[in-house]
Amino acid sequence: MMRNLLVLGAGTAGTMVANRMRRVLSHDTWTITVVDRDDSHLYQPGLLLLPFGRYQPRDLVRSRHSFIADGVVLLQGEVDRVDAPASTVHLEDGRALPYDFLVVATGTTPRPDQTSGMTGALWRESVFDFYTLEGAVALEKALARFDHGRLVVHVTDMPIKCPVAPLEFAFLTDAWLREKGVRDAVELVYVTPLSGAFTKPIASDRLGHMLDERKIAVEPDFLVESVDEEASALVSYDERRVPFDLLVTVPLNMGADFVARSGLGDELNHVRVDRNTLRSKDADNIFAIGDAADLPTSKAGSVAHFATETLVDNLLAAMRGQPLPSSFDGHANCFVESGDDKALLIDFNYDTEPLPGRYPLPMVGPLRLLEETRTNHLGKLAFRWIYWNVLLPARPLPLPSHMSMAGKAVPTTAK
Ligand SMILES: Cc1cc2nc3c(=O)[nH]c(=O)nc-3n(C[C@H](O)[C@H](O)[C@H](O)COP(=O)(O)OP(=O)(O)OC[C@H]3O[C@@H](n4cnc5c(N)ncnc54)[C@H](O)[C@@H]3O)c2cc1C
């Protein structure tokens, strides 16, 4: 009898998992089905550069079909709910999809509707996001017109996907305004719910210095309560006000609503999983990967990639009724664009914060950790090609899935 592996979401993680599993599961015994609501795969890291005219929408969107391996069925439909006790997924159009094993890879989405006043009269007039294609396209037009005033880059709450992206946006805006010769006419402010630039101390210190060097003012510990549309200002719960002429916000990020309806999520609809095995805490035949999971590491494509190996090993073991052999360590790495065609790289996991050093080869690099270099910037640009041609088709990439300490320098204060 045929058995069913069902994957919800054909984004970065769902595509990689379906393609990897198709290579190792017998076609005679297993069907693999992936469900997504549409056929447009968006290269999300490109949304950072689109508002600065470096990419056009056509550079960032491709048909999902071109990345799904032969032998995997791609279904278009909106997931309505998972009936875990019955091992069945219901789509909004009434279709019911029974499964033996389920992988939830439906990501996380910006939800400006969750902040009072954010999507009101100022939305896409003077309040923009760049985490959606529509937002990034609208912001490009607004930035082109902007040559003086107060530009505020804002993070609503953590966790967000690619937590360094708003910092990168601030650095790139500074460089872009300098290039246009109007930097002195613009006050740049970075508003964050964190007490510093980033979540981990050494990187936060380094990135905080970079904000200072660029004269970008920081408003820390700012928990936004609302956007005051009349006054064009962010208002916090402790009644601080940050006025703006142009607001670039990262709205609250939330997992898919069906996760909550199915009783599988936390308060932000991210799937509750064991952080090492990636198995749902609520059902033994459900796993989650990528931004959809409540893992205490960055939400990033790199994390989805590094976690895929663990997920594949553990799914195969679970299918055989064996104990789960593989343990994910939270490995993440992210390029941080810093303007003027330079970038930093950070590499870390659940237990080790980003440290200075070289990556991936000790002594050699060629990439530098926590240091601004042109090679790092070229690495970020090359990532788009690697994404379409190596990551999504799940071709082997010669980088270990688990974080390595080789090449890292541990500052005495961090020991
Ligand atoms: C501006 C920006 C810059 C970034 N930069 C980087 C970077 O430099 N490096 C890096 O590693 N990562 C970066 N990321 C993060 C990276 O893009 C994500 O972490 C990654 O795409 C997560 O993959 P995923 O498969 O978990 O989610 P996604 O790729 O978002 O896929 C989720 C899929 O689920 C589908 N879906 C959701 N709900 C439903 C439903 N109810 N029914 C049917 N389908 C549904 C969606 O249509 C989508 O296709 C960046 C993100 C942004 C926004």
Side-chain angles (χ1 to χ4, degrees):
M1 205 173 83
M2 289 301 276
R3 303 179 78 199
N4 301 321
L5 170 63
L6 185 58
V7 180
L8 304 182
T12 314
T15 303
M16 289 190 294
V17 167
N19 290 343
R20 281 284 295 274
M21 290 304 289
R22 192 60 289 174
R23 283 202 206 129
V24 290
L25 286 181
S26 155
H27 287 250
D28 297 333
T29 22
W30 283 94
T31 59
I32 303 181
T33 305
V34 190
V35 181
D36 206 291
R37 58 163 64 106
D38 60 35
D39 188 28
S40 297
H41 190 123
L42 174 65
Y43 174 67
Q44 298 178 45
L47 297 175
L48 172 72
L49 296 175
L50 191 146
F52 301 99
R54 303 258 190 112
Y55 289 130
Q56 297 300 312
R58 66 173 174 275
D59 301 324
L60 307 182
V61 181
R62 298 198 184 172
S63 163
R64 298 191 193 279
H65 282 93
S66 27
F67 303 104
I68 298 289
D70 288 348
V72 175
V73 179
L74 177 60
L75 282 187
Q76 203 168 315
E78 182 77 25
V79 177
D80 178 50
R81 82 196 140 86
V82 179
D83 182 347
S87 289
T88 301
V89 167
H90 296 272
L91 303 187
E92 275 189 359
D93 60 14
R95 279 177 288 177
L97 308 172
Y99 60 83
D100 293 286
F101 283 89
L102 179 72
V103 177
V104 182
T106 37
T108 193
T109 311
R111 293 288 297 269
D113 57 303
Q114 298 289 313
T115 301
S116 168
M118 197 175 265
T119 53
L122 304 183
W123 184 241
R124 305 255 161 97
E125 293 293 330
S126 58
V127 176
F128 293 86
D129 76 307
F130 65 98
Y131 269 44
T132 58
L133 187 58
E134 305 71 38
V137 168
L139 179 56
E140 182 189 7
K141 294 195 180 86
L143 269 185
R145 294 191 297 266
F146 191 81
D147 57 9
H148 68 282
R150 208 159 197 267
L151 195 158
V152 173
V153 181
H154 165 245
V155 181
T156 300
D157 206 351
M158 304 303 275
I160 55 170
K161 51 186 156 187
C162 196
V164 291
L167 277 169
E168 295 179 277
F169 192 88
F171 296 146
L172 289 171
T173 304
D174 165 71
W176 187 77
L177 293 168
R178 274 190 279 112
E179 214 173 281
K180 287 213 307 182
V182 295
R183 178 66 182 91
D184 289 345
V186 176
E187 196 183 343
L188 253 180
V189 185
Y190 187 74
V191 179
T192 169
L194 300 174
S195 51
F198 193 58
T199 44
K200 318 272 174 153
I202 295 177
S204 184
D205 196 43
R206 175 82 192 96
L207 295 164
H209 276 301
M210 289 170 59
L211 289 168
D212 288 348
E213 282 162 9
R214 288 160 176 77
K215 299 192 169 41
I216 301 171
V218 180
E219 185 74 37
D221 301 313
F222 191 96
L223 291 176
V224 69
E225 196 252 318
S226 63
V227 175
D228 180 341
E229 299 174 54
E230 295 282 301
S232 285
L234 288 166
V235 183
S236 67
Y237 282 100
D238 59 4
E239 294 176 12
R240 278 179 284 160
R241 300 177 73 82
V242 175
F244 58 82
D245 295 302
L246 183 63
L247 175 67
V248 180
T249 184
V250 179
L252 187 70
N253 280 201
M254 288 180 74
D257 288 342
F258 79 82
V259 172
R261 283 197 292 275
S262 311
L264 297 171
D266 65 11
E267 69 285 358
L268 288 172
N269 303 350
H270 296 128
V271 182
R272 289 183 295 264
V273 291
D274 179 284
R275 71 180 210 160
N276 297 119
T277 64
L278 310 176
R279 175 138 74 181
S280 159
K281 290 182 174 165
D282 299 290
D284 276 355
N285 61 346
I286 300 180
F287 290 75
I289 186 166
D291 295 351
D294 74 341
L295 299 176
T297 183
S298 281
K299 293 193 179 300
S302 62
V303 173
H305 166 70
F306 293 132
T308 297
E309 197 169 300
T310 296
L311 183 65
V312 168
D313 289 349
N314 287 349
L315 259 179
L316 288 173
M319 287 168 171
R320 292 187 207 107
Q322 294 168 351
L324 308 187
S326 192
S327 179
F328 182 54
D329 66 349
H331 188 192
N333 60 34
C334 307
F335 288 104
V336 187
E337 281 291 304
S338 57
D340 304 312
D341 292 341
K342 289 187 181 164
L344 296 80
L345 178 67
I346 53 177
D347 186 62
F348 56 102
N349 68 10
Y350 293 141
D351 304 316
T352 305
E353 64 173 308
L355 295 170
R358 295 186 186 225
Y359 184 87
L361 301 173
M363 319 282 280
V364 179
L367 304 172
R368 300 285 183 99
L369 297 169
L370 274 179
E371 208 180 303
E372 287 179 79
T373 69
R374 192 166 154 70
T375 312
N376 288 344
H377 166 71
L378 295 175
K380 173 112 176 175
L381 295 187
F383 186 65
R384 187 168 63 110
W385 187 91
I386 294 171
Y387 183 84
W388 296 127
N389 296 290
V390 182
L391 286 195
L392 289 187
R395 298 202 167 96
L397 191 67
L399 290 176
S401 291
H402 285 87
M403 198 208 74
S404 164
M405 284 304 287
K408 293 195 169 65
V410 186
T412 37
T413 47
K415 276 181 181 160

